Amino acid sequence: MLAGTVGWRLDTERGLTADELYRAEIDGLRGDGAKICEFTRLAVDKTAASKPVLAGLFHTAYLYASVIRGCTHGVIEVNPRHVAFYGGALNFDPIGEERMNKRVDAPAVLLCVRFAVIADGLKRFAGKPDVPGAGRSLFVYGFPPDEEVGVLNRLRRLVAETA
C-alpha cells in the first residue's frame, strides 16, 4: 500500500517548475543568496495515519534538501485552499499571488519556508506533543533527535551508494 508521496527538485541552471508562474518571486530569493528546493506531489492517503505520515515524508525531504544538499529555502505551489494548512502545519508563508496553473488546471499560490525555521520547529516540537505552542504544527510528529540522526545516516549511505 502506498501511504504518501513527496517529491523535491533542487534548483539548477534550468530552474524549477514553479518558475513558470513565479519566476520574479523565486529570482528574488536567488538574488538574496537562497539555495532553493521545490517540494512537489506532497500527498497522503486519507486512510493512513495522515499527520505522522505527512510529517515523516516532509521531515525526510527537508533533511535531504537542507542537510545533504545544503538548501536554505523550500518553495511549494499549492491550491489557495491549502495555504492556511501549510502555514499552520509547516510555517510556509505566501510569497506569490494567486495565479492560474495551467499544468494542473487549478489556481495556485507560491509558498516559501526558510529551512532555519523548519529546524527551529523540529527542535522545539519533534516528539513533544505537550509542549505549549505546538498548535496545529506537524513538527510534533517529526523525528526526535536520535531518530533524525538515523534517518540522516541512512540518507548519507544512499547518496554515497549512488555516487
Side-chain angles (χ1 to χ4, degrees):
M1 176 174 116
L2 180 66
T5 63
V6 65
W8 62 89
R9 186 173 290 116
L10 300 173
D11 198 11
T12 66
E13 62 279 347
R14 293 184 324 198
L16 300 167
T17 303
D19 279 316
E20 185 178 315
L21 289 179
Y22 296 103
R23 179 166 301 277
E25 291 84 351
I26 295 171
D27 280 348
L29 293 170
R30 291 176 180 123
D32 289 340
K35 186 169 180 187
I36 306 165
C37 159
E38 177 178 30
F39 295 105
T40 63
R41 297 181 301 276
L42 185 55
V44 174
D45 184 325
K46 291 181 181 180
T47 63
S50 60
K51 286 183 179 182
V53 170
L54 183 60
L57 287 168
F58 183 79
H59 196 156
T60 303
Y62 152 77
L63 288 172
Y64 178 79
S66 176
V67 178
I68 304 292
R69 299 305 298 257
C71 292
T72 61
H73 291 69
V75 297
I76 188 169
E77 290 176 290
V78 301
N79 189 290
R81 70 178 182 265
H82 297 287
V83 170
F85 171 78
Y86 281 94
L90 295 166
N91 291 345
F92 276 87
D93 292 313
I95 63 165
E97 296 178 1
E98 182 177 321
R99 298 182 184 148
M100 186 62 177
N101 186 331
K102 293 181 181 172
R103 289 187 317 272
V104 295
D105 195 30
V109 174
L110 184 67
L111 306 180
C112 180
V113 65
R114 289 183 307 110
F115 285 157
V117 170
I118 298 293
D120 181 62
L122 290 167
K123 182 179 177 183
R124 291 174 58 209
F125 301 120
K128 305 172 193 170
D130 298 326
V131 171
R136 301 179 305 153
S137 173
L138 286 180
F139 297 134
V140 298
Y141 300 103
F143 306 124
D146 59 327
E147 290 180 25
E148 183 180 88
V149 169
V151 172
L152 267 171
N153 288 338
R154 178 71 175 133
L155 288 170
R156 287 182 176 118
R157 281 194 303 274
L158 290 169
V159 169
E161 290 172 7
T162 60

